[in-house]
Amino acid sequence: MENIQKSIGENLRNIRKTRGCSLDAAAEITGVSKAMLGQIERGESNPTVTTLWKIASGLQVSFSSLIHEEPSDVQFIELKTLTPIMESSNYRVYPVFPFDPRKKFEIFTVEIEPGCQHTSDKHNEGVEEYITVMSGTLEMEIGDQRITVRPGNSIKFSANKAHTYKNLGDELIRYQAVMYYP
């Protein structure tokens, strides 16, 4: 967990400094306190998914630009080697392929335990989510729409409104999510 915390801290500091943004200014535009931002930058805090989304949205960067590490020409990823970013122990986001600005997307594997739900704040205008469920049955609320996504099925939606992921079943949900940034 320390490596991901360190990467997040270094990336946040680099993004903020590249923009000439103070901690006070970053706190104002992200809605995350100056103290929390400082702890994250120093690698002293393990931020939640919600906190990272607030930071990414406020700074208008991709989610995984905060957890980005330098890629190689060929990458083989084993889920068991990834450190999840957790909102709670019941909702885990594994950064499989972090954001690459040349490609404008990132890919995650997400796990949701039975009985868990996660509400995501709206993302920046133009951001799209593409989800393919591998196991379990995902219940989605997107605005006033309710959609059931079963294993092997997929959903695409504009993520510029709040959306909720729910596991109403009794088995683990695992899905792949592709985030596209215009």
Side-chain angles (χ1 to χ4, degrees), residues 138-149 155 162-164 166 168:
L138 176 64
E139 301 290 332
M140 292 285 311
E141 288 183 14
I142 305 164
D144 59 359
Q145 289 186 303
R146 311 262 185 284
I147 299 126
T148 300
V149 189
I155 183 172
H163 42 284
T164 301
K166 295 181 180 182
L168 303 177

Side-chain angles (χ1 to χ4, degrees), residues 16-138:
R16 186 177 60 76
K17 289 189 174 188
T18 297
R19 295 180 176 194
C21 188
S22 68
L23 276 174
D24 286 321
E28 187 173 324
I29 62 175
T30 63
V32 176
S33 74
K34 176 182 174 181
M36 175 59 75
L37 291 172
Q39 289 174 353
I40 293 169
E41 284 191 5
R42 292 187 301 275
E44 297 171 356
S45 175
N46 184 20
T48 64
V49 172
T50 299
T51 299
L52 289 176
W53 273 118
K54 282 183 177 182
I55 294 168
S57 293
L59 294 174
Q60 296 186 346
V61 297
S62 71
F63 180 87
S64 63
S65 66
L66 296 171
I67 54 176
H68 174 73
E69 294 179 328
E70 290 302 313
S72 64
D73 288 341
V74 175
Q75 290 181 287
F76 173 77
I77 309 297
E78 286 185 273
L79 186 64
K80 68 181 180 183
T81 66
L82 298 176
T83 302
I85 298 168
M86 300 191 313
E87 187 67 24
S88 69
S89 62
N90 296 325
Y91 180 80
R92 297 175 294 277
V93 177
Y94 296 87
V96 179
F97 293 107
F99 182 71
D100 179 337
R102 295 167 296 162
K103 295 179 178 66
K104 299 187 180 204
F105 70 88
E106 57 192 340
I107 301 174
F108 303 98
T109 294
V110 180
E111 295 179 339
I112 305 175
E113 295 288 342
C116 178
Q117 75 174 35
H118 173 75
T119 299
S120 180
D121 292 332
K122 68 179 187 170
H123 304 307
N124 295 329
E125 197 63 40
V127 174
E128 297 174 347
E129 285 193 38
Y130 297 79
I131 293 174
T132 298
V133 174
M134 297 177 296
S135 64
T137 299
L138 176 64

